[in-house]
Amino acid sequence: MAHKAVEIEPVEFMEHFFPLPWEKMPAGNNPLGMCIPKETIPRWSASVFKDLKGAEKLAEKEVQRRFVAAIRTSNLAPGLSFAELQYRPDKGDISGQRVDSAFFPAGREPDDGRPHWADQLVPVEFKIHTRSKDPFDDGPNSKLDADAEPRKEVRGQLIDYAERIFRYQHRTALLMLLVMGRRFRFLRWDRSGTIVTESVDYYENPQILCEMLWRMSKLSKEELGCDPSATRINADDSLYACMDDVASPVANDLDHSNRVLDEMPEAPYVFRYVRDMFRQSLAPEWPRYQLEIVDGSQKFHFLVGKPLFFATGMAGRGTRGYVAYDLLRKRFVWLKDAWRAHYELVDQEGTILRQLNEDGVRNVPTLVCHGDILGQTTQTPSFWEMQNQRPKESVPAVQPLGPPPPPNVESSSSPRARVPEPRKLPSGSLGRKRSWHEMEEDNTPSLSGKKHRTWEDCPLRRHMHYRIVVEEVALPLKEFKSGRQLVSLIVDCIIAHMDAVKKTKVIHRDVSGGNILVLPHITTRENVLMVISRGLLADWELAKPVSDQQGGPRARRLERVGTWQFMSVAVLCDMCKVVETSDELESFFYVLLYYSIRYLRSNCADVGAFIEHLFD
């Protein structure tokens, strides 16, 4: 989904995201009854940025040098350290990306000129003082996300930085400072979109930037967007050594190739590829974490390193998949961390999977635990809703859950919020999940006959942080060994689909190559003990109940999602169509065709052209 922005005034941004220390204190714990005088806020010299008076004519590096000097000289962010990072990329980072500067915890700033994506708290990017380097447009009749190509490139650069930090760290949000010559913007990123302040001249108005930086330095890591349910594991922690220990090769780990066994291995056994995948996730340049999941009355903890899978882009579910180590059961499991759609009638994937397990559905993952994480939801949609109040006659068809919109903050003028028009469907790589909202503009008129932005028209989707853990650590479908095995794996998943429809009355709705997995296991066939692989139909987050013949299906989601390359022709031609078993069977056929053409020998003269023509 295209990332979208909402603009508010700096004062409103500061009051909501940079609360004063005493405003965060419960009244019962505040002996002054929340009445700490405003004089507590420092006052800064009007000349704090005196060396940047002519910043609109300076080169980017010179603006950065003088700005950094002003931050350090006046100690504008006490409790945080500021570092310049633009000289070299991180070790092992083939992307070569590097942000100009960043704030770090006090005393933990790097001195090697590398970005250290795993450690920075607030990135800072510098640009020259020109309209073409401002990714946003404050004009009253213009779109906030500027269309000019140079400005789009800058915006894309900032999105890349935010995405990278979300990938390395466990985040609920990210604050970012953009300095363009003599002007600045603060940005706040989450999985729904971006909240951005209006551009302000910090030389003419130094107090607002100084107070924002001072308030920011008083925030906790959680308030800065770090996820409190994810605990960083340092190199001197016992859990760090535990991860190294369980990742070490073990002589009696099993090979997963199909073969006959002489005897049943001693339990608990581990397939070698599972331990290898966990060991590969312990890359030295990636941080390690202990993740917490509360499922009912039980609390579970899992150790993870680098994700083996991560979705690209900032907006959307941001799914990451890990081979994790279960501290309670002392075994490897598969953990998925995502930001699920957060609306009424949208079930958690774990709720669906638990029912499938209870109903005896074959060839689906086995649930260990799942749960929403500390009620963490994206906040950007709330700001859009607050600034685009729905009219009384407008009643939303699907009510979003979560906290109400934040209270309005009085300011000198009403804040503006503009959201760019949805972009048209781009050509994408295989497996990218795109929404119908990306294809069409919303031209729905109001009751008066005029177009208006309403609460129910909000183009920003609300997401809830969610984790699910299953027993099976499987291999991707591309690891199949023969055409016969490929067919067998897909047949196993068709059986899973059939069982789900007949026993649990749910339909998957996202049959694709990425959701069909290869699971080696030990079984007995005709009294012969053997290792053999079976297909596993995974990722049931989009599943919904089968339509009742006597009534239409209940509304589940505000937009069509799925893997476009494997959708049936009928669904592609009518995006409002209810997905049926016939559509899913057609999707299975496309999976078989794609993997056969791409990975098996055939008489296809140009495989790349065939795949691009049929699937992309």
Side-chain angles (χ1 to χ4, degrees):
M1 183 185 295
H3 214 81
K4 298 177 175 67
V6 176
E7 185 177 63
I8 63 177
E9 290 186 345
V11 171
E12 183 178 4
F13 188 98
M14 177 173 65
E15 293 294 335
H16 189 79
F17 296 115
F18 299 160
L20 291 165
W22 50 85
E23 292 176 345
K24 299 180 289 184
M25 186 181 300
N29 298 332
N30 185 357
L32 298 181
M34 307 288 286
C35 295
I36 299 178
K38 285 288 185 181
E39 285 72 20
T40 304
I41 301 175
R43 299 301 299 173
W44 295 271
S45 168
S47 62
V48 64
F49 296 115
K50 60 182 175 60
D51 292 336
L52 288 148
K53 179 179 180 180
E56 69 272 16
K57 299 179 181 179
L58 297 177
E60 180 180 308
K61 297 304 179 187
E62 184 61 20
V63 172
Q64 179 179 356
R65 187 187 69 79
R66 298 188 186 189
F67 191 91
V68 170
I71 294 287
R72 291 172 174 167
T73 300
S74 300
N75 193 25
L76 297 182
L80 296 177
S81 295
F82 198 59
E84 298 179 70
L85 312 170
Q86 76 277 20
Y87 301 108
R88 293 181 292 175
D90 270 349
K91 294 179 180 179
D93 184 0
I94 61 175
S95 74
Q97 291 184 352
R98 48 194 186 273
V99 69
D100 289 331
S101 302
F103 289 97
F104 290 81
R108 293 180 56 186
E109 74 278 14
D111 57 6
D112 58 0
R114 300 183 189 274
H116 292 264
W117 301 109
D119 303 312
Q120 55 182 269
L121 291 176
V122 180
V124 182
E125 181 69 5
F126 292 89
K127 298 296 178 186
I128 60 175
H129 190 101
T130 176
R131 182 182 178 89
S132 65
K133 293 298 182 180
D134 188 348
F136 304 100
D137 196 326
D138 292 338
N141 298 315
S142 59
K143 292 182 354 182
L144 177 57
D145 284 355
D147 281 335
E149 198 60 35
R151 306 176 79 173
K152 289 168 64 177
E153 289 178 1
V154 174
R155 189 163 63 249
Q157 183 182 23
L158 301 183
I159 292 174
D160 286 343
Y161 294 157
E163 179 186 353
R164 203 142 199 87
I165 293 174
F166 267 77
R167 187 178 301 172
Y168 273 79
Q169 303 181 27
H170 287 264
R171 286 275 188 164
T172 60
L174 174 69
L175 296 166
M176 181 183 291
L177 176 61
L178 174 62
V179 180
M180 302 160 291
R182 253 177 58 163
R183 307 189 73 84
F184 82 93
R185 295 181 188 272
F186 257 104
L187 299 88
R188 182 189 182 277
W189 305 85
D190 63 26
R191 288 296 182 182
S192 290
T194 313
I195 300 172
V196 57
T197 67
E198 295 177 351
S199 173
V200 175
D201 186 327
Y202 60 84
Y203 177 80
E204 293 290 344
N205 304 280
Q207 296 299 322
I208 181 64
L209 178 56
C210 290
E211 183 172 347
M212 292 181 84
L213 291 172
W214 178 80
R215 288 192 183 207
M216 184 185 75
S217 71
K218 302 299 180 182
L219 301 179
S220 66
K221 283 190 174 182
E222 181 177 354
E223 290 168 322
L224 287 170
C226 297
D227 179 5
S229 72
T231 304
R232 181 78 174 264
I233 300 174
N234 297 316
D236 56 352
D237 292 341
S238 60
L239 290 179
Y240 196 98
C242 171
M243 296 178 77
D244 287 337
D245 184 53
V246 298
S248 300
V250 175
N252 60 354
D253 280 350
L254 298 177
D255 178 21
H256 68 277
S257 59
N258 290 0
R259 68 190 193 283
V260 175
L261 295 178
D262 296 329
E263 59 181 359
M264 187 71 180
E266 182 179 349
Y269 58 84
V270 176
F271 282 105
R272 188 176 299 119
Y273 77 88
V274 176
R275 199 182 302 273
D276 289 346
M277 290 166 70
F278 183 75
R279 184 167 59 254
Q280 292 166 11
S281 75
L282 304 185
E285 66 273 13
W286 281 77
R288 303 182 188 184
Y289 284 90
Q290 179 182 207
L291 304 183
E292 179 181 285
I293 301 176
V294 177
D295 188 349
S297 60
Q298 279 191 288
K299 186 179 293 187
F300 299 83
H301 295 93
F302 303 91
L303 307 181
V304 300
K306 179 181 178 179
L308 270 69
F309 165 82
F310 47 81
T312 58
M314 265 301 300
R317 293 191 291 274
T319 304
R320 291 180 288 182
Y322 300 86
V323 176
Y325 185 69
D326 185 341
L327 281 175
L328 177 63
R329 304 189 184 187
K330 309 298 181 186
R331 63 179 183 180
F332 296 111
V333 293
W334 180 257
L335 184 149
K336 183 165 73 173
D337 181 290
W339 288 78
R340 68 181 184 88
H342 187 43
Y343 295 92
E344 286 184 352
L345 305 180
V346 177
D347 297 322
Q348 298 170 321
E349 182 182 2
T351 300
I352 298 168
L353 195 55
R354 177 170 284 143
Q355 190 61 53
L356 294 174
N357 293 160
E358 292 176 355
D359 292 341
V361 174
R362 294 167 287 178
N363 302 328
V364 298
T366 306
L367 180 68
V368 174
C369 65
H370 75 115
D372 292 328
I373 307 302
L374 302 178
Q376 296 167 354
T377 60
T378 52
Q379 294 190 34
T380 307
S382 295
F383 278 83
W384 194 98
E385 292 160 5
M386 175 186 69
Q387 298 178 17
N388 294 269
Q389 298 294 330
R390 58 175 171 168
K392 292 181 180 180
E393 70 270 15
S394 176
V395 180
V398 181
Q399 295 276 0
L401 304 176
N408 198 3
V409 179
E410 292 184 2
S411 56
S412 58
S413 62
S414 298
R416 300 190 303 275
R418 293 183 298 280
V419 181
E421 296 173 357
R423 63 180 180 179
K424 294 182 179 180
L425 174 65
S427 59
S429 59
L430 180 69
R432 178 175 178 268
K433 296 182 179 179
R434 293 168 287 194
S435 70
W436 178 240
H437 189 83
E438 288 183 84
M439 296 183 63
E440 291 189 335
E441 298 179 13
D442 182 4
N443 292 311
T444 305
S446 68
L447 295 181
S448 63
K450 299 180 180 180
K451 282 190 63 178
H452 60 251
R453 289 287 191 178
T454 68
W455 181 82
E456 65 176 324
D457 296 325
C458 180
L460 308 179
R461 301 299 175 227
R462 190 183 299 279
H463 295 274
M464 167 75 81
H465 196 190
Y466 177 74
R467 294 189 184 119
I468 180 172
V469 178
V470 298
E471 290 183 4
E472 295 82 3
V473 179
L475 294 164
L477 183 56
K478 66 180 182 180
E479 297 296 328
F480 73 90
K481 300 302 181 184
S482 67
R484 181 173 182 173
Q485 187 186 55
L486 174 62
V487 172
S488 176
L489 295 169
I490 293 177
V491 168
D492 288 340
C493 292
I494 293 175
I495 291 172
H497 191 280
M498 178 185 67
D499 280 359
V501 171
K502 290 185 175 181
K503 297 180 179 180
T504 312
K505 308 299 182 185
V506 297
I507 192 165
H508 189 278
R509 296 205 311 153
D510 190 18
V511 172
S512 65
N515 294 337
I516 296 177
L517 305 177
V518 182
L519 181 66
H521 70 296
I522 298 176
T523 189
T524 300
R525 289 190 177 180
E526 298 179 355
N527 296 321
V528 177
L529 189 66
M530 62 178 64
V531 176
I532 195 167
S533 294
R534 64 184 172 95
L536 199 71
L537 186 57
D539 291 338
W540 290 82
E541 61 186 319
L542 301 184
K544 64 172 291 183
V546 177
S547 300
D548 192 325
Q549 294 293 332
Q550 298 179 352
R554 56 178 178 160
R556 295 296 305 274
R557 196 174 288 269
L558 295 181
E559 58 185 18
R560 170 79 76 201
V561 290
T563 308
W564 283 71
Q565 290 84 351
F566 301 112
M567 284 183 178
S568 71
V569 172
V571 171
L572 289 174
C573 291
D574 180 5
M575 298 307 293
C576 295
K577 180 187 184 299
V578 174
V579 177
E580 302 175 81
T581 299
S582 58
D583 299 304
E584 302 275 71
L585 291 175
E586 186 176 335
S587 295
F588 280 117
F589 167 74
Y590 292 140
V591 172
L592 176 61
L593 178 61
Y594 176 88
Y595 281 83
S596 298
I597 292 294
R598 181 169 180 181
Y599 294 103
L600 297 174
R601 285 187 296 177
S602 71
N603 60 359
C604 181
D606 190 338
V607 172
F610 178 85
I611 289 177
E612 182 178 4
H613 176 74
L614 183 61
F615 291 96
D616 288 332

